[in-house]
Amino acid sequence: QAFGEIIKNLEDVYDIILIDTSPINLGSDALSVVSKAQGAIIVARKNKSLAQEVQYLHKQLKLTGASVIGSVIQEF
């Protein structure tokens, strides 16, 4: 709840707030953080991330009410 209030206060001051979380598939608290955001960007590693893992992540984000606004393929 306190995190949500911090985000709300920051939105009054800044146009864009970027929050970098740990990988969601490692069982982190990232899903609860993303639920407070206006949008999420999925970052996948080229030749490392499996397509089915990315699809599963997308579904999990949707279940939290997150809006997936894009994705990035990381080459290294």
Side-chain angles (χ1 to χ4, degrees):
Q1 189 176 24
F3 181 74
E5 290 176 27
I6 291 170
I7 295 299
K8 195 164 185 72
N9 290 336
L10 290 172
E11 288 174 338
D12 292 339
V13 179
Y14 299 102
D15 294 330
I16 297 173
I17 303 163
L18 297 175
I19 303 168
D20 184 17
T21 68
S22 58
I24 290 176
N25 63 348
L26 295 180
S28 69
D29 294 327
L31 281 175
S32 62
V33 171
V34 171
S35 69
K36 305 284 189 253
Q38 291 180 352
I41 298 172
I42 296 174
V43 178
R45 293 177 72 189
K46 185 177 179 181
N47 299 323
K48 284 270 194 179
S49 301
L50 301 175
Q52 54 266 45
E53 290 176 334
V54 175
Q55 290 170 345
Y56 177 77
L57 172 58
H58 191 271
K59 287 180 187 176
Q60 293 292 20
L61 289 169
K62 290 290 186 182
L63 287 174
T64 66
S67 172
V68 178
I69 58 175
S71 60
V72 175
I73 304 295
Q74 182 183 23
E75 289 206 33
F76 53 90

